[in-house]
Amino acid sequence: MRREGPGGAVASPPAAGSGPGSVLGPGFGEERREPLRTEFEFELPRGYVDESGTVHRRGAMRLATARDELVPLRDVRVRENPAYLSVVLLGRVVTRLGTLPSVHDGTVENMFASDLAFLQDFYRQINAEGHTRAAVACPHCSESFEVELAGSRLGES
């Protein structure tokens, strides 16, 4: 059964139960489903420089699974130095970077510190919030607004 809401917009009846991807439709008080997004694009602040000197900035990261967070704990490098956990973890979830044929922990290990910090924040954002937007407030006028974190470069957003 379809129902017409304010302004002639049409909403489908809510699905039984609610879960990830469910949001309230505007003005309806009913749920609608958004497709689950599992991969997010980003742009590194500085970029990864490969052996030939090519800079790779644009890439993608997928949502982490429980396995992604458990497998690195068995890695000898992580056992000897827990700080290495983020390098191994990011090497598993970054699915592409520029024109590199593959991304692995060795790639992440050779990134600039600012890019590593960016990817750590990005990982937390997409896995905790499911999107790459952050709510912020202007320090001068206190107006609230959202910024997109995925494409931030140094000095932006």
Side-chain angles (χ1 to χ4, degrees):
M1 179 175 163
R2 297 170 63 113
R3 208 166 104 189
E4 194 167 315
V10 177
S12 299
S18 62
S22 297
V23 295
L24 293 177
F28 295 103
E30 297 178 10
E31 288 187 34
R32 64 180 162 84
R33 285 246 182 229
E34 290 185 355
L36 177 62
R37 188 172 172 200
T38 60
E39 189 169 282
F40 299 83
E41 294 191 359
F42 62 81
E43 184 173 342
L44 295 174
R46 293 196 188 278
Y48 171 76
V49 183
D50 68 15
E51 295 169 353
S52 66
T54 303
V55 179
H56 305 272
R57 287 194 175 96
R58 300 182 75 75
M61 180 185 296
R62 64 172 172 79
L63 290 177
T65 63
R67 183 179 196 87
D68 290 322
E69 295 196 346
L70 293 172
V71 167
L73 298 175
R74 294 186 292 208
D75 190 297
V76 173
R77 297 167 298 181
V78 174
R79 287 184 182 177
E80 292 176 357
N81 181 2
Y84 209 82
L85 175 63
S86 64
V87 171
V88 176
L89 183 56
L90 291 172
R92 293 179 60 89
V93 297
V94 174
T95 56
R96 62 186 152 82
L97 182 60
T99 57
L100 293 175
S102 67
V103 180
H104 48 79
D105 51 2
T107 308
V108 177
E109 190 176 43
N110 288 307
M111 289 182 170
F112 292 111
S114 57
D115 288 337
L116 178 62
F118 170 84
L119 288 176
Q120 290 169 327
D121 289 344
F122 194 74
Y123 177 90
R124 277 189 290 273
Q125 183 71 26
I126 67 170
N127 285 287
E129 303 294 329
H131 57 77
T132 58
R133 298 178 309 277
V136 296
C138 174
H140 300 290
C141 67
S142 300
E143 183 178 345
S144 298
F145 59 97
E146 287 187 342
V147 294
E148 178 63 45
L149 301 176
S152 63
R153 299 171 140 261
L154 291 177
E156 295 179 356
S157 74

